[in-house]
Amino acid sequence: MLIGLCGGICAGKHAIAEYLIQVQGFQLLELASKRHHRIADEPDDDLRLQASQIRKRSDAQSADLVFEDADTLLEFATKRWQERWVTTDIADGNTLDRFLLRPFFLLVSVDAPVSLRWKRFADRCRRRQLDPPDLEKFVIWNDRHLYARDIGRVYLTDRAQVRLFNSSSSLQELHHALQALELADEQRLRPNWDQYFMQLASLAAQRSNCMKRRVGCVLVRERRVISTGYNGTPRHLTNCNEGGCPRCNRGDGGGVGLSTCLCIHAEENALLEAGRERIREGAILYCDTCPCLTCTVKLAQVGISEVVYSQSYNMDRDSAAILEAAGVRLRQFSPPSNGLIYLQDTGEKTIN
């Protein structure tokens, strides 16, 4: 596994790298061109020069883990993909493209409020007997660091699979949050079957045209997709989001006027697409929302063996009772979030 950390100035990516190294057995991979130029991703040439003159970096790390270019680093990690590696030296989109091709690579971005990052930067400067910049100058540096055309770090952070918001001023709190998060979980690299099919259901929901709620599902047998479905008006009718279903466009509340609704539910579409002869015993329905009562009785009728859902619905109990009576297993599965994850602040020792 190789974790790449990227983010803004003093967001905390080096603190996270240190945690992975000290606690979870990772080893740091570096580029020689960057090894002696770190104070906190300092963007200013004068400050970088001062830092390099007074900073004495430990040489405890083997020179074997310092590489002349990103391709050599990636080749090294590829041959040892079963070990744990971390790097903070991915600096451009072309390099990232090559790293993302590897199934063992996870990109993690780290961010924090700009005022907090300026404070961290200033504290680090003072400890190294450097004159810290004022907030205005730091903001200018930060903007260039993140948003410079073609080379800004935002080109990297926008593609991260996991995004950490690190507003903590406590190393202890940061470590507790990282321990609970478990970045090294290999399911982040390759989703298990439940994750995979639930993500397909969520993707199908993006095609929904229903004005009330987006719902998507996939019908699976022996880990093969039989059909997919999303909710909306039937074929050849005007889409719901274009006025095709008066009931949905009136904004009626849940359970009101259902007999006048023209939208076909995601589960119904999947069943119609598959056909009874293709479903058979052992079929599993993955749906991002628990099926309603109407869909539940149809699922029981066609012989679905299991229903897996992510989000609750206001008929969960009634649907569960019917499925239990029909001998259909029902369980909830919510995929772990790889979006923005907030690391809590407790206000103890400062992170740098």
Side-chain angles (χ1 to χ4, degrees):
M1 182 180 200
L2 172 60
I3 292 180
L5 294 167
C6 62
I9 305 167
C10 267
K13 54 187 174 294
H14 295 104
I16 293 173
E18 287 297 323
Y19 168 83
L20 293 173
I21 293 166
Q22 295 173 8
V23 179
Q24 297 195 341
F26 280 74
Q27 297 183 73
L28 182 66
L29 303 182
E30 296 182 282
L31 295 182
S33 60
K34 295 179 177 292
R35 194 180 191 202
H36 297 290
H37 298 300
R38 293 192 183 92
I39 178 172
D41 293 325
E42 51 272 65
D44 180 84
D45 290 338
D46 292 336
L47 188 58
R48 195 180 291 127
L49 178 61
Q50 294 178 65
S52 66
Q53 289 173 342
I54 66 175
R55 186 180 187 201
K56 293 182 180 180
R57 183 182 179 91
S58 170
D59 289 326
Q61 183 183 354
S62 170
D64 292 340
L65 302 184
V66 181
F67 303 89
E68 291 301 319
D69 55 61
D71 287 334
T72 307
L73 185 155
L74 183 58
E75 181 181 358
F76 175 89
T78 301
K79 293 177 180 178
R80 298 161 180 81
W81 65 271
Q82 292 179 309
E83 301 174 53
R84 291 184 169 187
W85 310 103
V86 62
T87 185
T88 61
D89 289 352
I90 300 174
D92 61 82
N94 290 333
T95 299
L96 178 59
D97 287 340
R98 296 194 293 274
F99 277 61
L100 287 172
L101 291 174
R102 299 297 197 270
F104 56 83
F105 176 71
L106 179 72
L107 181 65
V108 179
S109 70
V110 190
D111 200 1
V114 65
S115 58
L116 177 57
R117 294 193 284 113
W118 169 64
K119 181 179 182 301
R120 293 173 181 169
F121 189 87
D123 289 345
R124 180 172 290 184
C125 287
R126 294 188 189 99
R127 288 198 304 273
R128 297 180 178 181
Q129 301 178 354
L130 302 174
D131 294 329
D134 58 29
L135 178 58
E136 182 179 1
K137 186 173 184 179
F138 180 82
V139 169
I140 293 173
W141 286 350
N142 178 72
D143 287 348
R144 187 172 69 221
H145 179 77
L146 290 178
Y147 306 115
R149 185 178 180 88
D150 297 329
I151 60 172
R153 294 299 191 274
V154 73
Y155 289 95
L156 309 181
T157 60
D158 278 358
R159 301 174 68 184
Q161 294 107 311
V162 180
R163 300 180 179 184
L164 305 182
F165 188 74
N166 173 30
S167 65
S168 176
S169 58
S170 162
L171 278 173
Q172 181 180 12
E173 177 66 22
L174 175 65
H175 290 182
H176 285 165
L178 291 172
Q179 182 179 14
L181 180 61
E182 187 54 66
L183 281 175
D185 186 350
E186 293 193 358
Q187 288 190 24
R188 296 186 183 279
L189 299 175
R190 188 181 188 218
N192 62 26
W193 288 110
D194 278 348
Q195 288 176 275
Y196 174 66
F197 291 126
M198 197 62 76
Q199 287 171 7
L200 290 181
S202 296
L203 180 61
Q206 299 305 304
R207 283 290 302 165
S208 169
N209 63 65
C210 180
M211 290 294 292
K212 296 290 291 183
R213 176 194 293 261
R214 281 180 167 177
V215 180
C217 69
V218 296
L219 191 56
V220 176
R221 190 181 68 247
E222 296 177 353
R223 295 177 177 174
R224 297 290 185 271
V225 174
I226 302 173
S227 64
T228 64
Y230 55 85
N231 57 328
T233 48
R235 185 180 303 176
H236 304 310
L237 270 66
T238 302
N239 286 339
C240 179
N241 62 347
E242 297 172 342
C245 177
R247 183 258 176 186
C248 289
N249 282 267
R250 284 196 306 267
D252 290 346
V256 177
L258 291 179
S259 62
T260 65
C261 183
L262 301 182
C263 287
I264 300 177
H265 290 194
E267 300 92 327
E268 295 174 314
N269 267 323
L271 296 179
L272 289 170
E273 177 67 24
R276 179 68 179 86
E277 67 281 359
R278 295 178 60 200
I279 296 174
R280 302 200 302 271
E281 184 178 354
I284 302 174
L285 181 98
Y286 286 86
C287 192
D288 61 357
T289 304
C290 186
C292 71
L293 203 59
T294 301
C295 290
T296 297
V297 296
K298 295 174 182 177
L299 294 172
Q301 173 65 15
V302 298
I304 297 292
S305 298
E306 183 177 17
V307 173
V308 184
Y309 71 97
S310 177
Q311 303 173 35
S312 294
Y313 190 54
N314 57 11
M315 298 180 185
D316 284 10
R317 290 186 178 180
D318 294 335
S319 297
I322 290 176
L323 291 174
E324 181 180 8
V328 180
R329 184 185 179 194
L330 175 69
R331 62 184 172 92
Q332 185 172 15
F333 173 79
S334 297
S337 174
N338 276 351
L340 181 63
I341 300 172
Y342 191 92
L343 303 180
Q344 186 64 44
D345 177 21
T346 59
E348 296 177 26
K349 183 178 177 182
T350 302
I351 298 174
N352 289 295

